[in-house]
Amino acid sequence: MPIIIPITDLRNTTKISELCHGKNEPVFITKNGYSDLVIMSMEAYEALTAAPQAVQPEKMCYLTEQSPIWAGMLADVLQQNGIPFFKESSLGAGLAIKTGGLSESIRFFVPASRIDGARELVEELFSKEIE
């Protein structure tokens, strides 16, 4: 429950300081019954304004390399199964334009934590013989 006190209580600075440090949360100050100020301990302020810890990107692992035709299908299947991925051309954009799309292949990378599930999908899609 928020702490709300009238502005006249600010005269007792020791009491206000103890209140802010004791609760370690913002104290709302009212003036004539309306919100006017918010005060808090330095610890509460630092916790509120601290930069979030940088999230380390998960290591990406090589999954497979496919022709552009099959790469589109694989991308759809990975998305449908909620597996994040990124793909890159084996040739690079400039060389792919010069040599044509048929010589290009697309490499897929997925997070290390999802590699097993992604490999199962690739196996299911591409290892079966056409009857």
Side-chain angles (χ1 to χ4, degrees):
M1 184 147 196
I3 303 167
I4 303 170
I5 62 172
I7 199 165
T8 56
D9 286 2
L10 290 180
R11 291 183 187 132
N12 188 344
T13 56
T14 303
K15 177 184 166 193
I16 297 298
S17 177
E18 289 172 356
L19 180 64
C20 289
H21 286 282
K23 295 293 185 176
N24 207 24
E25 63 184 59
V27 175
F28 298 90
I29 311 297
T30 60
K31 183 176 182 182
N32 298 326
Y34 295 98
S35 297
D36 188 44
L37 302 169
V38 177
I39 59 173
M40 63 183 73
S41 68
M42 186 54 83
E43 293 84 10
Y45 175 77
E46 287 172 349
L48 183 68
T49 60
Q53 295 295 321
V55 176
Q56 293 294 326
E58 189 173 351
K59 181 181 175 191
M60 299 298 276
C61 296
Y62 173 79
L63 176 62
T64 188
E65 190 168 322
Q66 297 293 328
S67 69
I69 294 170
W70 295 112
M73 181 184 69
L74 178 57
D76 287 343
V77 169
L78 291 172
Q79 284 178 338
Q80 290 170 6
N81 285 277
I83 298 176
F85 66 93
F86 78 84
K87 55 187 181 176
E88 68 180 15
S89 170
S90 61
L91 299 177
L95 195 53
I97 291 171
K98 285 191 177 256
T99 60
L102 296 177
S103 61
E104 181 181 25
S105 60
I106 309 297
R107 294 181 185 136
F108 282 82
F109 298 86
V110 298
S113 63
R114 305 296 297 271
I115 190 71
D116 292 334
R119 282 184 180 149
E120 287 176 15
L121 291 171
V122 168
E123 185 76 21
E124 188 178 316
L125 289 171
F126 301 113
S127 69
K128 295 185 180 185
E129 293 183 23
I130 299 174
E131 297 178 11

